[in-house]
Short mmCIF file of all heavy atoms in Angstrom, two decimals:
data_model
loop_
_atom_site.label_atom_id
_atom_site.label_comp_id
_atom_site.label_asym_id
_atom_site.label_seq_id
_atom_site.Cartn_x
_atom_site.Cartn_y
_atom_site.Cartn_z
N VAL A 135 96.46 24.40 103.57
CA VAL A 135 95.86 23.19 103.01
C VAL A 135 94.35 23.24 103.19
O VAL A 135 93.85 23.60 104.27
CB VAL A 135 96.39 21.91 103.72
CG1 VAL A 135 95.68 20.66 103.19
CG2 VAL A 135 97.90 21.78 103.55
N VAL A 136 93.63 22.87 102.14
CA VAL A 136 92.21 22.54 102.28
C VAL A 136 92.10 21.04 102.08
O VAL A 136 92.61 20.49 101.10
CB VAL A 136 91.32 23.30 101.29
CG1 VAL A 136 89.89 22.74 101.33
CG2 VAL A 136 91.29 24.79 101.61
N TRP A 137 91.41 20.40 103.02
CA TRP A 137 91.34 18.93 103.11
C TRP A 137 89.86 18.54 103.16
O TRP A 137 89.06 19.23 103.78
CB TRP A 137 92.04 18.54 104.39
CG TRP A 137 91.99 17.13 104.88
CD1 TRP A 137 90.89 16.42 105.29
CD2 TRP A 137 93.13 16.27 105.10
NE1 TRP A 137 91.26 15.18 105.72
CE2 TRP A 137 92.63 15.06 105.62
CE3 TRP A 137 94.50 16.43 104.92
CZ2 TRP A 137 93.47 14.00 105.96
CZ3 TRP A 137 95.33 15.37 105.25
CH2 TRP A 137 94.81 14.17 105.76
N SER A 138 89.51 17.44 102.53
CA SER A 138 88.14 16.94 102.66
C SER A 138 88.10 15.46 102.31
O SER A 138 88.89 14.99 101.48
CB SER A 138 87.18 17.71 101.73
OG SER A 138 85.84 17.30 101.94
N GLN A 139 87.17 14.75 102.95
CA GLN A 139 87.03 13.32 102.67
C GLN A 139 85.55 12.95 102.50
O GLN A 139 84.76 13.00 103.45
CB GLN A 139 87.65 12.51 103.82
CG GLN A 139 89.18 12.64 103.85
CD GLN A 139 89.81 11.86 104.97
OE1 GLN A 139 90.12 12.41 106.03
NE2 GLN A 139 90.01 10.57 104.76
N ASP A 140 85.19 12.66 101.27
CA ASP A 140 83.88 12.10 100.92
C ASP A 140 82.71 12.97 101.37
O ASP A 140 81.66 12.46 101.78
CB ASP A 140 83.74 10.69 101.50
CG ASP A 140 84.88 9.78 101.12
OD1 ASP A 140 85.59 10.10 100.16
OD2 ASP A 140 85.08 8.75 101.78
N SER A 141 82.88 14.28 101.28
CA SER A 141 81.82 15.20 101.69
C SER A 141 81.19 15.94 100.52
O SER A 141 80.01 16.28 100.55
CB SER A 141 82.36 16.23 102.69
OG SER A 141 82.74 15.62 103.89
N PHE A 142 81.98 16.20 99.49
CA PHE A 142 81.50 17.05 98.40
C PHE A 142 80.35 16.42 97.62
O PHE A 142 79.59 17.13 96.95
CB PHE A 142 82.64 17.39 97.44
CG PHE A 142 83.75 18.20 98.07
CD1 PHE A 142 85.00 18.27 97.46
CD2 PHE A 142 83.56 18.89 99.25
CE1 PHE A 142 86.03 19.02 98.02
CE2 PHE A 142 84.58 19.65 99.83
CZ PHE A 142 85.82 19.70 99.21
N LEU A 143 80.20 15.10 97.67
CA LEU A 143 79.12 14.47 96.93
C LEU A 143 77.75 14.99 97.35
O LEU A 143 76.79 14.98 96.59
CB LEU A 143 79.15 12.94 97.08
CG LEU A 143 78.49 12.32 98.32
CD1 LEU A 143 78.05 10.89 98.01
CD2 LEU A 143 79.44 12.31 99.49
N HIS A 144 77.64 15.46 98.61
CA HIS A 144 76.35 15.95 99.11
C HIS A 144 75.98 17.32 98.56
O HIS A 144 74.85 17.78 98.76
CB HIS A 144 76.39 16.04 100.64
CG HIS A 144 76.52 14.72 101.32
ND1 HIS A 144 75.53 13.75 101.27
CD2 HIS A 144 77.52 14.18 102.06
CE1 HIS A 144 75.91 12.70 101.96
NE2 HIS A 144 77.11 12.93 102.45
N SER A 145 76.91 18.00 97.90
CA SER A 145 76.68 19.37 97.47
C SER A 145 75.81 19.45 96.22
O SER A 145 75.92 18.63 95.31
CB SER A 145 78.01 20.07 97.20
OG SER A 145 77.79 21.39 96.74
N LEU A 146 75.00 20.51 96.18
CA LEU A 146 74.20 20.81 94.98
C LEU A 146 74.92 21.81 94.08
O LEU A 146 74.43 22.14 93.01
CB LEU A 146 72.83 21.37 95.39
CG LEU A 146 71.95 20.44 96.24
CD1 LEU A 146 70.68 21.16 96.66
CD2 LEU A 146 71.61 19.18 95.46
N ASP A 147 76.08 22.32 94.53
CA ASP A 147 76.82 23.31 93.75
C ASP A 147 78.32 23.11 93.98
O ASP A 147 78.96 23.86 94.69
CB ASP A 147 76.40 24.72 94.16
CG ASP A 147 76.94 25.80 93.21
OD1 ASP A 147 77.76 25.45 92.32
OD2 ASP A 147 76.55 26.97 93.35
N ARG A 148 78.89 22.10 93.33
CA ARG A 148 80.30 21.78 93.55
C ARG A 148 81.24 22.81 92.95
O ARG A 148 82.35 22.98 93.44
CB ARG A 148 80.59 20.37 93.02
CG ARG A 148 79.76 19.30 93.73
CD ARG A 148 80.03 17.89 93.26
NE ARG A 148 78.99 17.00 93.78
CZ ARG A 148 77.91 16.62 93.09
NH1 ARG A 148 77.77 17.03 91.83
NH2 ARG A 148 77.00 15.85 93.64
N ALA A 149 80.78 23.52 91.92
CA ALA A 149 81.61 24.59 91.37
C ALA A 149 81.82 25.68 92.42
O ALA A 149 82.89 26.29 92.50
CB ALA A 149 80.96 25.17 90.11
N LYS A 150 80.80 25.91 93.24
CA LYS A 150 80.91 26.91 94.30
C LYS A 150 81.92 26.47 95.36
O LYS A 150 82.62 27.30 95.95
CB LYS A 150 79.53 27.15 94.93
CG LYS A 150 79.51 28.21 96.03
CD LYS A 150 79.92 29.57 95.51
CE LYS A 150 79.78 30.62 96.61
NZ LYS A 150 80.38 31.92 96.18
N ILE A 151 82.01 25.17 95.61
CA ILE A 151 83.02 24.66 96.55
C ILE A 151 84.42 25.02 96.06
O ILE A 151 85.27 25.48 96.83
CB ILE A 151 82.91 23.13 96.72
CG1 ILE A 151 81.54 22.74 97.28
CG2 ILE A 151 84.02 22.62 97.64
CD1 ILE A 151 81.33 21.24 97.34
N VAL A 152 84.65 24.82 94.77
CA VAL A 152 85.97 25.14 94.20
C VAL A 152 86.24 26.64 94.34
O VAL A 152 87.36 27.05 94.67
CB VAL A 152 86.05 24.69 92.73
CG1 VAL A 152 87.40 25.06 92.12
CG2 VAL A 152 85.82 23.18 92.62
N ASP A 153 85.21 27.46 94.11
CA ASP A 153 85.36 28.91 94.29
C ASP A 153 85.78 29.25 95.72
O ASP A 153 86.66 30.08 95.95
CB ASP A 153 84.05 29.64 93.98
CG ASP A 153 83.70 29.64 92.51
OD1 ASP A 153 84.61 29.40 91.67
OD2 ASP A 153 82.53 29.89 92.17
N GLU A 154 85.12 28.60 96.69
CA GLU A 154 85.41 28.88 98.09
C GLU A 154 86.80 28.39 98.50
O GLU A 154 87.50 29.05 99.26
CB GLU A 154 84.34 28.25 98.99
CG GLU A 154 83.00 28.96 98.95
CD GLU A 154 83.10 30.35 99.57
OE1 GLU A 154 82.95 30.48 100.80
OE2 GLU A 154 83.37 31.31 98.81
N ILE A 155 87.20 27.25 97.98
CA ILE A 155 88.55 26.76 98.26
C ILE A 155 89.58 27.74 97.72
O ILE A 155 90.56 28.09 98.40
CB ILE A 155 88.76 25.36 97.65
CG1 ILE A 155 87.91 24.33 98.40
CG2 ILE A 155 90.24 24.97 97.69
CD1 ILE A 155 87.91 22.95 97.76
N ASP A 156 89.35 28.21 96.51
CA ASP A 156 90.24 29.19 95.91
C ASP A 156 90.32 30.46 96.77
O ASP A 156 91.39 31.05 96.94
CB ASP A 156 89.72 29.53 94.51
CG ASP A 156 90.60 30.53 93.78
OD1 ASP A 156 91.82 30.32 93.75
OD2 ASP A 156 90.06 31.51 93.26
N ARG A 157 89.20 30.85 97.36
CA ARG A 157 89.15 32.08 98.16
C ARG A 157 89.89 31.94 99.48
O ARG A 157 90.58 32.86 99.91
CB ARG A 157 87.69 32.46 98.42
CG ARG A 157 87.52 33.73 99.26
CD ARG A 157 86.06 34.10 99.43
NE ARG A 157 85.33 33.14 100.22
CZ ARG A 157 85.32 33.12 101.56
NH1 ARG A 157 86.05 33.99 102.25
NH2 ARG A 157 84.58 32.22 102.20
N VAL A 158 89.75 30.77 100.16
CA VAL A 158 90.27 30.66 101.52
C VAL A 158 91.73 30.18 101.59
O VAL A 158 92.38 30.32 102.62
CB VAL A 158 89.39 29.74 102.40
CG1 VAL A 158 87.97 30.27 102.48
CG2 VAL A 158 89.40 28.30 101.90
N LEU A 159 92.26 29.63 100.50
CA LEU A 159 93.67 29.23 100.49
C LEU A 159 94.55 30.48 100.46
O LEU A 159 94.19 31.50 99.89
CB LEU A 159 93.98 28.38 99.27
CG LEU A 159 93.77 26.87 99.38
CD1 LEU A 159 94.05 26.24 98.03
CD2 LEU A 159 94.64 26.24 100.45
N LYS A 160 95.72 30.36 101.06
CA LYS A 160 96.63 31.51 101.05
C LYS A 160 97.07 31.81 99.62
O LYS A 160 97.22 30.91 98.79
CB LYS A 160 97.82 31.26 101.95
CG LYS A 160 98.83 30.23 101.49
CD LYS A 160 99.96 30.13 102.52
CE LYS A 160 101.04 29.16 102.06
NZ LYS A 160 102.12 29.04 103.05
N LYS A 161 97.26 33.09 99.36
CA LYS A 161 97.57 33.55 98.00
C LYS A 161 99.07 33.73 97.77
O LYS A 161 99.53 33.72 96.63
CB LYS A 161 96.88 34.90 97.74
CG LYS A 161 95.38 34.92 98.01
CD LYS A 161 94.61 34.02 97.07
CE LYS A 161 93.10 34.23 97.18
NZ LYS A 161 92.52 33.80 98.46
N ASP A 162 99.82 33.92 98.84
CA ASP A 162 101.22 34.31 98.69
C ASP A 162 102.20 33.23 99.11
O ASP A 162 103.16 33.48 99.82
CB ASP A 162 101.49 35.58 99.50
CG ASP A 162 101.14 35.40 100.97
OD1 ASP A 162 100.50 34.39 101.30
OD2 ASP A 162 101.53 36.26 101.78
N GLY A 163 101.93 32.02 98.68
CA GLY A 163 102.85 30.94 99.05
C GLY A 163 102.37 29.61 98.51
O GLY A 163 101.40 29.52 97.77
#
Side-chain angles (χ1 to χ4, degrees):
V135 176
V136 171
W137 172 296
S138 185
Q139 291 179 262
D140 307 342
S141 294
F142 297 162
L143 84 154
H144 294 294
S145 178
L146 299 176
D147 191 352
R148 299 181 192 97
K150 182 62 175 171
I151 299 174
V152 178
D153 289 342
E154 286 293 273
I155 291 173
D156 181 49
R157 180 177 67 83
V158 301
L159 272 176
K160 70 179 183 181
K161 307 294 190 293
D162 57 348

